[in-house]
C-alpha cells in the first residue's frame, strides 16, 4: 500500500532494544514479587517463633533455672524454626518445580531455556538462610530470659 502514510519507523536495533527493556522490566517485576514473598514469609516465621517464645517464657525460665544453658535454649527455638522451614521447603520446592515445568510445557510461562532444578538449588539455601535469620532474633531473646524474674511473676 504505497499510498498509506508512514507513521513510525524503527531500526531492528531499536526493536531489539525495546524488546530487551520489556523483558528486563518483567524480570524485575517477577524478582520484586519473589523478594516480597520471601520478606512476608520471613516475617511470618519471625512472628510464629516470637509468639512461641512469649508463650513459653515460664518454661524457658524453668529450663534455665534447672541448668540449661542459654545457648541450649536458643538452639531449641532456632531448630524449631529451621525445622519448619525445611518441611515447607520439602513440600513447596518439588511442587513449584513441577508447576514451572508444566507451565513451560503448556506455554503459560514463557522463559528461555531454564533449568528448574538449578533454580531450586539456588533458592533452597537462600530460603534457609532467611529462615535462620528470622528465627535467630526470638531465639536469642529466649536465651536472655531471667529465670528469677520469670518464676516470680507467676
Amino acid at each position: 500500500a504505497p499510498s498509506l502514510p508512514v507513521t513510525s519507523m524503527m531500526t531492528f536495533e531499536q526493536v531489539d532494544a525495546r524488546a530487551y527493556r520489556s523483558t528486563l522490566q518483567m524480570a524485575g517485576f517477577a524478582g520484586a514479587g519473589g523478594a516480597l514473598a520471601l520478606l512476608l514469609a520471613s516475617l511470618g516465621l519471625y512472628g510464629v517463633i516470637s509468639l512461641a517464645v512469649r508463650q513459653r517464657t515460664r518454661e524457658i525460665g524453668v529450663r534455665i533455672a534447672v541448668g540449661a544453658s542459654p545457648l541450649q535454649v536458643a538452639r531449641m527455638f532456632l531448630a524449631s524454626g529451621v525445622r519448619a522451614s525445611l518441611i515447607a521447603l520439602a513440600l513447596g520446592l518439588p511442587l513449584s518445580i513441577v508447576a514451572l515445568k508444566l507451565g513451560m510445557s503448556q506455554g503459560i510461562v514463557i522463559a528461555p531455556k531454564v533449568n528448574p532444578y538449578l533454580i531450586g538449588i539456588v533458592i533452597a539455601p537462600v530460603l534457609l538462610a532467611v529462615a535462620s535469620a528470622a528465627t535467630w532474633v526470638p531465639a536469642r531473646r529466649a536465651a536472655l530470659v531471667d529465670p528469677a524474674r520469670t518464676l516470680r511473676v507467676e
Side-chain angles (χ1 to χ4, degrees), residues 60-84:
I60 294 166
V62 170
R63 283 178 185 259
I64 292 174
V66 295
S69 71
L71 183 62
Q72 288 174 324
V73 173
R75 192 177 314 139
M76 177 180 69
F77 284 101
L78 186 63
S80 71
V82 172
R83 190 178 316 115

Side-chain angles (χ1 to χ4, degrees), residues 64-135:
I64 292 174
V66 295
S69 71
L71 183 62
Q72 288 174 324
V73 173
R75 192 177 314 139
M76 177 180 69
F77 284 101
L78 186 63
S80 71
V82 172
R83 190 178 316 115
S85 300
L86 283 172
I87 291 170
L89 189 63
L91 294 175
L93 191 60
L95 288 174
S96 62
I97 288 175
V98 167
L100 180 61
K101 289 179 92 173
L102 183 67
M104 287 174 59
S105 70
Q106 297 296 319
I108 298 169
V109 176
I110 300 171
K113 273 294 214 199
V114 283
N115 185 354
Y117 301 107
L118 181 64
I119 293 171
I121 289 171
V122 170
I123 287 174
V126 170
L127 179 71
L128 289 176
V130 169
S132 298
T135 307

Side-chain angles (χ1 to χ4, degrees), residues 7-28:
T7 57
S8 68
M9 284 187 2
M10 293 175 31
T11 64
F12 283 128
E13 184 178 341
Q14 291 170 332
V15 170
D16 190 38
R18 180 181 284 178
Y20 179 73
R21 272 195 312 269
S22 173
T23 303
L24 200 58
Q25 186 179 27
M26 292 304 290

